[in-house]
């Protein structure tokens, strides 16, 4: 396990002192890896006692490197760590400015809601002319970043004077070790099985001792030097699904780098390799004001856990929760003992009682419908392969009703 992987494991185990040590060693090997500075900044903030000045320094280095490379997700993460460092240092005006810049780039960043409330509460208690409330920084800091040490270049061997191996006497190879594939020709492919996802990065001659590989539970990254002196960075963040870190591996071969990622959920089919949804920030775990994780989860919840499924529909008014509608119709009203009412409609006809209430509801709906409604129901159900049901003949009669599989599934011909 390399130093970056050890640092990531230490953060997972909440051993932030060890994480700082491992990421410091990783940075000594590759001083251009943006993710290493972001992770070390996180560790500096959470270590006891925290070193917020060092955390700010790492965040600003990460932001500068990420902006030079145009890495949007890394820019967002670095700016977020910068904001948290400013907040911890009591520079609330600067922290608010950074959070606002994060919001410009990703308004759906979940941690912004909590941190926005924290900053606003702090600013309310300050006078307008208080230095802590003033924003004094630029969006991108103007700082010097570490320069990657150049590796010694191999001395070319003259054809007339072939070098000899001191041990065996064989001619030494004149071929210089290093990446032989041009950066614009490096490509990647992937495939999946029931339990693994295999990603292949096709690049010849990737140097094993100068390559940095970082596999997370929902991301992977690799960085290695090119003959031009620059670094080649490749990352997938976030992946479409979670992976089992302990069972996932990476191999550097002569013609490619192969990642074998073990799926955290065996049998799960990934519709794509990389997800379009931005990763949730780890900063949500920050707990500087004593607020509980339960409160945070309640604030950040997108929908109630017991919300019913949403079925495909062609109705202009949006999807209906047919389960709820069927349950409402099948509920029998309580009889009023005073008026002695023993008649009336109990929701479902007696012919449909005793069966599945949902099926009974649809049977009753069909039996009471007019001819156009029946035609719409039959046509939409048959043509969509049972994935859509409409009662609007004026819409269904215009053409074929396409198959509408539920979210997260895809239709396949049989």
């Amino acid at each position: 396990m390399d130093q970056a992987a050890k640092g990531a494991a230490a953060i997972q185990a909440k051993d932030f002192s060890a994480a700082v040590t491992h990421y410091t060693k990783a940075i000594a090997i590759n001083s251009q890896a943006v993710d290493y500075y972001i992770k070390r900044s996180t560790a500096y903030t959470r270590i006891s006692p925290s070193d917020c000045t060092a955390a700010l320094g790492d965040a600003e280095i990460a932001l500068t490197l990420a902006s030079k490379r145009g890495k949007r997700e890394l820019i967002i993460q670095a700016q977020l760590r910068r904001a948290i460092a400013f907040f911890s240092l009591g520079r609330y005006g600067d922290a608010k400015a950074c959070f606002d810049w994060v919001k410009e780039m990703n308004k759906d960043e979940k941690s912004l809601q909590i941190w926005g409330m924290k900053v606003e509460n702090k600013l309310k208690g300050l006078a307008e002319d208080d230095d802590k409330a003033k924003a004094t920084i630029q969006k991108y800091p103007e700082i010097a970043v570490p320069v990657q040490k150049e590796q010694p270049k191999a001395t070319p061997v003259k054809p007339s004077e072939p070098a000899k191996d001191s041990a065996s006497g064989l001619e030494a190879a004149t071929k210089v070790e290093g990446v032989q594939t041009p950066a614009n020709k490096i490509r990647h492919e992937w495939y999946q099985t029931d339990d693994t996802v295999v990603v292949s990065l096709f690049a010849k001659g990737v140097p094993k001792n100068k390559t940095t590989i970082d596999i997370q539970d929902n991301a992977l990254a690799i960085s290695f030097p090119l003959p031009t002196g620059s670094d080649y960075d490749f990352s997938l963040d976030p992946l479409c699904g979670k992976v089992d870190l302990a069972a996932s591996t990476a191999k550097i071969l002569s013609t490619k780098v192969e990642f074998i990622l073990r799926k955290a959920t065996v049998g799960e089919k990934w519709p794509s390799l990389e997800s379009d949804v931005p990763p949730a920030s780890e900063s949500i775990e920050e707990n500087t004001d004593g607020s509980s994780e339960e409160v945070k989860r309640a604030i950040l919840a997108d929908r109630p856990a017991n919300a019913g499924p949403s079925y495909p529909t062609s109705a202009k008014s949006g999807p209906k929760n047919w389960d709820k509608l069927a349950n409402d119709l099948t509920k029998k009203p309580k009889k009023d003992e005073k008026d002695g009412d023993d008649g009336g409609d109990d929701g479902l006809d007696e012919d449909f009682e005793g069966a599945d209430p949902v099926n009974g509801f649809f049977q009753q709906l069909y039996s009471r419908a007019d001819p156009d409604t029946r035609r719409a129901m039959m046509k939409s159900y048959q043509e969509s392969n049972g994935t859509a049901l409409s009662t609007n003949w004026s819409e269904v009669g215009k053409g074929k009703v396409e198959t509408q599989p539920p979210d997260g599934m895809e239709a396949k011909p049989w």
Side-chain angles (χ1 to χ4, degrees):
M1 184 182 292
D2 61 18
Q3 294 297 331
K6 290 179 181 178
I11 287 181
Q12 290 266 347
K14 299 189 183 302
D15 187 355
F16 302 117
S17 178
V20 168
T21 301
H22 291 308
Y23 277 116
T24 299
K25 292 179 179 179
I27 289 171
I29 298 172
N30 182 4
S31 63
Q32 304 298 298
V34 180
D35 186 62
Y36 296 173
Y37 292 101
I38 292 174
K39 292 297 192 337
R40 192 171 69 171
S41 175
T42 302
Y44 273 133
T45 305
R46 299 178 185 176
I47 200 172
S48 181
S50 61
D51 189 345
C52 298
T53 302
L56 176 61
D58 276 355
E60 294 198 328
I61 292 174
L63 181 59
T64 303
L65 291 172
S67 62
K68 287 182 178 179
R69 299 180 188 179
K71 299 281 187 178
R72 182 181 179 84
E73 288 304 324
L74 292 177
I75 291 173
I76 293 172
Q77 292 178 40
Q79 195 72 271
L80 194 57
R81 297 312 314 175
R82 188 186 184 205
I84 293 170
F86 277 131
F87 181 91
S88 301
L89 290 168
R91 295 170 60 177
Y92 306 117
D94 291 334
K96 184 179 185 305
C98 291
F99 284 127
D100 289 342
W101 290 324
V102 172
K103 189 174 182 179
E104 287 177 4
M105 299 189 72
N106 181 14
K107 60 182 178 61
D108 296 323
E109 169 60 49
K110 291 184 177 180
S111 60
L112 288 176
Q113 186 172 6
I114 288 178
W115 283 107
M117 291 168 53
K118 289 182 178 181
V119 171
E120 291 298 332
N121 288 336
K122 293 292 185 181
L123 291 175
K124 285 179 182 178
L126 299 176
E128 292 184 3
D129 58 348
D130 195 313
D131 289 341
K132 293 181 178 180
K134 296 178 181 178
T136 60
I137 57 173
Q138 297 178 352
K139 187 173 184 178
Y140 297 105
E142 296 179 357
I143 60 172
V145 296
V147 178
Q148 184 70 27
K149 294 180 180 179
E150 293 186 5
Q151 301 297 330
K153 296 181 179 180
T155 303
V157 179
K158 296 180 180 180
S160 59
E161 299 177 2
K164 299 288 184 177
D165 185 281
S166 59
S168 63
L170 298 176
E171 291 187 0
T174 59
K175 192 176 182 180
V176 179
E177 180 186 3
V179 181
Q180 302 161 34
T181 305
N184 61 346
K185 298 293 184 181
I186 298 176
R187 60 185 176 85
H188 75 279
E189 295 180 358
W190 75 288
Y191 68 88
Q192 64 179 312
T193 64
D194 283 342
D195 57 356
T196 58
V197 171
V198 179
V199 182
S200 298
L201 184 69
F202 293 96
K204 293 182 180 179
V206 174
K208 294 183 180 181
N209 60 334
K210 303 172 187 175
T211 299
T212 302
I213 295 175
D214 186 17
I215 301 178
Q216 303 291 333
D217 60 352
N218 66 340
L220 69 84
I222 182 173
S223 176
F224 51 82
L226 296 170
T228 58
S230 61
D231 286 342
Y232 182 84
D233 296 307
F234 173 77
S235 62
L236 296 169
D237 186 9
L239 293 168
C240 196
K242 296 284 187 180
V243 301
D244 182 354
L245 281 177
S248 299
T249 59
K251 295 187 295 184
I252 299 178
L253 306 175
S254 60
T255 59
K256 66 180 179 179
V257 181
E258 187 173 73
F259 300 87
I260 302 176
L261 309 176
R262 178 77 60 171
K263 293 180 179 177
T265 304
V266 176
E268 178 185 18
K269 296 299 181 185
W270 290 16
S272 61
L273 178 59
E274 196 170 10
S275 174
D276 294 331
V277 180
S281 173
E282 292 181 359
S283 62
I284 199 171
E285 297 177 7
E286 300 289 346
N287 197 7
T288 59
D289 61 353
S291 58
S292 68
E293 294 300 323
E294 289 76 9
V295 173
K296 292 179 182 179
R297 284 194 291 269
I299 294 175
L300 300 176
D302 291 329
R303 54 175 291 173
N306 60 349
S310 177
Y311 299 93
T313 179
S314 60
K316 294 181 180 179
S317 58
K320 292 182 174 62
N321 188 335
W322 291 104
D323 289 346
K324 181 178 183 302
L325 185 57
N327 289 335
D328 291 343
L329 289 174
T330 54
K331 283 183 181 178
K332 292 186 177 182
K334 294 181 181 180
K335 294 182 179 181
D336 191 341
E337 296 179 357
K338 292 183 180 181
D339 59 19
D341 183 12
D342 58 354
D345 188 356
D346 288 338
L348 284 178
D349 292 341
E350 293 181 0
D351 292 342
F352 303 126
E353 292 184 3
D356 184 340
V358 177
N359 289 337
F361 159 67
F362 285 117
Q363 291 173 17
Q364 180 177 341
L365 181 64
Y366 182 82
S367 67
R368 294 179 177 179
D370 58 63
D372 281 346
T373 300
R374 291 187 180 187
R375 283 195 295 170
M377 292 176 69
M378 291 296 291
K379 185 174 184 295
S380 61
Y381 188 81
Q382 290 176 353
E383 292 183 351
S384 69
N385 296 308
T387 61
L389 183 67
S390 175
T391 58
N392 187 353
W393 175 250
S394 63
E395 183 176 329
V396 173
K398 293 178 181 178
K400 181 181 178 181
V401 180
E402 299 296 334
T403 301
Q404 304 175 37
D407 291 341
M409 302 183 70
E410 60 178 327
K412 292 186 177 180
W414 295 93

